[in-house]
């Protein structure tokens, strides 16, 4: 709340909540401490962050409450993630992050971060123009993480050992998204059955580039013979060969028939 100063003094008081400690140790999966790991806690009314010291330990003062706790390393040498149910470390950004209850005695939250392998590339638009703030995701059967592209269109994402498909999307709906398919012009397909699998073992993979085209829309209204809008129907586009053009999701019709 702004305080307006006039010709007289103003006396006010602020009551600060009592702080309790969230503390813990961050290691790799072999138990070696990790320094300079970014730790963030997020609650309904309070957020805070810090980084681990040379011993891999950290400490944050927070009000009593419930928080999600996330861990991230700037270099990508270890996979970012959060604490899930039962205190298990979940690699990747996931909706399965659990709330950690911090009572009057505080809480200890440790994390063991798996080693990360970098997938990198560049996202462009028509004419090779760099696209910034495009959404890039690496997905496997038990992992998903995403990043945004930089000003020059580049991205890098850290993943554990595994097999992944790469997805690209424009949240602004200007460009057509899809998944990475090697060997095709632009490196991008909207056919979910044609996504190229990247097998990540111990070496980084670069050159996973995608060229996105400008999105165009087909729209209309579906009615019955009496002009009443029809709902819960599916609409598909068919190309010149008679094949159904794949969508990222099945298009539907709203309550007005659109």
């Amino acid at each position: 709340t702004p305080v307006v100063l006039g010709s007289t003094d103003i006396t006010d008081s602020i009551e600060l909540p009592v702080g309790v400690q969230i503390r813990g140790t961050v290691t790799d999966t072999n138990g070696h401490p990790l320094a300079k790991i970014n730790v963030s806690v997020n609650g309904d009314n309070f957020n805070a962050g810090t980084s681990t010291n040379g011993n891999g330990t950290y400490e944050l003062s927070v009000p009593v409450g419930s928080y999600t706790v996330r861990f991230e390393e700037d270099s990508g040498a270890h996979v970012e993630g959060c604490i899930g149910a039962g205190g298990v470390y979940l690699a990747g950004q996931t909706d399965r992050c659990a709330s950690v209850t911090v009572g009057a005695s505080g809480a200890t939250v440790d994390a063991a971060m798996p080693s990360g392998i970098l997938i990198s590339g560049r996202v462009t638009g028509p004419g090779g123009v760099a696209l910034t703030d495009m959404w890039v995701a690496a997905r496997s059967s038990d992992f998903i993480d995403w990043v945004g592209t930089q000003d020059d269109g580049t991205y890098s994402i850290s993943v554990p050992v595994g097999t992944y498909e790469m997805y690209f999307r424009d949240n602004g709906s200007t460009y057509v998204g899809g998944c990475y398919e090697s060997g095709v012009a632009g490196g991008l397909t909207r056919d979910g059955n044609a996504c190229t699998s990247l097998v990540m073992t111990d070496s980084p993979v670069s050159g996973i580039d995608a060229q996105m085209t400008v999105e165009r829309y087909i729209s209309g209204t579906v009615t019955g013979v009496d002009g009443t809008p029809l709902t819960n129907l599916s609409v598909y586009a068919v190309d010149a060969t008679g094949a159904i053009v794949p969508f990222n999701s099945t298009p539907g019709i709203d309550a007005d028939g659109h």
Side-chain angles (χ1 to χ4, degrees):
T1 300
V3 176
V4 179
L5 294 177
S7 58
T8 59
D9 294 337
I10 295 177
T11 301
D12 201 354
S13 61
I14 299 174
E15 183 177 351
L16 297 176
V18 175
V20 295
Q21 306 303 311
I22 294 181
R23 58 175 60 87
T25 302
V26 183
T27 66
D28 62 18
T29 52
N30 294 315
H32 301 128
L34 298 178
K36 298 182 179 179
I37 301 296
N38 301 318
V39 184
S40 62
V41 298
N42 299 281
D44 291 336
N45 301 303
F46 187 88
N47 303 313
T50 188
S51 58
T52 58
N53 60 24
N55 296 321
T57 61
Y58 72 93
E59 186 171 282
L60 279 166
S61 181
V62 301
V64 169
S66 296
Y67 300 88
T68 57
V69 186
R70 289 185 174 273
F71 303 86
E72 180 182 6
E73 185 175 38
D74 292 335
S75 70
H78 295 86
V79 183
E80 68 180 14
C82 63
I83 298 300
V88 175
Y89 183 79
L90 300 177
Q93 298 183 25
T94 170
D95 292 336
R96 294 184 293 139
C97 298
S99 291
V100 175
T101 300
V102 182
S105 60
T108 298
V109 181
D110 299 327
M113 303 176 70
S115 296
I117 312 163
L118 287 178
I119 301 173
S120 61
R122 187 168 184 259
V123 181
T124 58
V129 175
L131 298 182
T132 186
D133 293 328
M134 296 294 110
W135 181 86
V136 183
R139 178 186 291 175
S140 72
S141 59
D142 58 358
F143 176 94
I144 183 170
D145 199 3
W146 57 89
V147 295
T149 56
Q150 304 298 311
D151 290 342
D152 60 356
T154 59
Y155 72 90
S156 63
I157 188 166
S158 181
V159 300
V161 169
T163 301
Y164 298 88
E165 294 176 347
M166 300 297 296
Y167 292 84
F168 303 84
R169 189 175 75 190
D170 175 15
N171 288 326
S173 299
T174 299
Y175 298 94
V176 178
C179 64
Y180 175 73
E181 183 182 3
S182 63
V184 301
L188 199 64
T189 178
R190 298 197 78 181
D191 183 354
N193 295 317
C195 305
T196 296
S197 294
L198 303 178
V199 179
M200 305 298 295
T201 54
D202 56 1
S203 299
V205 173
S206 60
I208 307 302
D209 304 330
Q211 186 172 43
M212 303 174 75
T213 58
V214 176
E215 190 149 26
R216 295 290 184 263
Y217 295 92
I218 301 173
S219 61
T221 302
V222 180
T223 66
V225 293
D226 60 354
T228 301
L230 300 179
T231 63
N232 297 321
L233 299 180
S234 295
V235 179
Y236 295 91
V238 178
D239 65 20
T241 67
I244 294 176
V245 178
F247 290 84
N248 287 335
S249 60
T250 301
I253 297 177
D254 64 21
D256 297 320
H258 298 122

